[in-house]
Amino acid sequence: KKLSEIGRELIQKHLLKEIPNEDDYRKIGNFKGEGNNVVKKLKLKTDKNKKILEHKLFINKTQYFETITEEIFNFQIGGYPVLERYFKDRKDRPLENKEIVNLEKTIKVLAFTIKQMDLIDNLTNDWI
């Protein structure tokens, strides 16, 4: 029963019908910085001087999505890294506002999915 609840919740999130809103997800994936929104070169930067590691996924020199861990950045579906693939298709062109909003939601859902996968593993550890 618990697995089916998790599955239903994952489906709703993957369809972007529900977006994780808990405190854990509020800072994940928000778009920051001034610029023209043009995707140039993806670069995942980590600020190690702070007590809490701050991961930023830059799309150009001044604009980034905040709190993107390596696990989120490298997350694959069907053998493809989701974020890398998305940005590769948009290289050298500006992201529209609706794309930015969609990406922010998608990044939050990826973080949620990773957390749910761990929960599923723990629930099924004894019998799979």
Side-chain angles (χ1 to χ4, degrees):
K1 184 176 176 178
K2 182 69 176 167
L3 282 175
S4 67
E5 290 170 9
I6 293 170
R8 186 210 64 79
E9 197 172 12
L10 279 170
I11 290 168
Q12 294 304 307
K13 302 268 192 295
H14 285 197
L15 294 173
L16 300 180
K17 291 184 177 185
E18 296 175 7
I19 305 302
N21 261 341
E22 300 84 20
D23 286 341
D24 294 351
Y25 302 100
R26 291 203 200 284
K27 282 194 157 193
I28 294 175
N30 298 320
F31 190 61
K32 303 284 183 169
E34 297 295 321
N36 57 11
N37 300 350
V38 174
V39 177
K40 284 297 184 187
K41 182 180 179 185
L42 282 186
K43 185 167 186 171
L44 189 63
K45 289 186 178 181
T46 304
D47 185 352
K48 296 178 183 175
N49 296 327
K50 295 187 176 184
K51 289 182 183 177
I52 298 173
L53 292 180
E54 199 170 304
H55 303 279
K56 296 176 181 174
L57 178 60
F58 281 82
I59 64 166
N60 57 42
K61 289 183 180 183
T62 59
Q63 294 179 294
Y64 60 91
F65 290 87
E66 69 177 346
T67 321
I68 307 293
T69 63
E70 288 182 37
E71 193 174 22
I72 294 169
F73 180 70
N74 293 322
F75 190 82
Q76 294 186 14
I77 295 177
Y80 295 101
V82 175
L83 295 177
E84 187 177 316
R85 181 70 178 218
Y86 188 91
F87 286 111
K88 183 179 179 184
D89 292 342
R90 286 151 182 84
K91 187 165 174 36
D92 294 323
R93 76 164 186 80
L95 295 175
E96 296 176 16
N97 285 338
K98 66 181 180 179
E99 289 177 300
I100 291 169
V101 169
N102 186 56
L103 272 164
E104 289 175 332
K105 291 177 181 179
T106 299
I107 291 166
K108 289 177 189 336
V109 169
L110 290 176
F112 176 82
T113 300
I114 291 165
K115 193 172 181 180
Q116 294 304 96
M117 288 171 61
D118 288 340
L119 182 59
I120 291 168
D121 286 346
N122 288 333
L123 286 172
T124 60
N125 204 4
D126 293 339
W127 53 278
I128 292 185

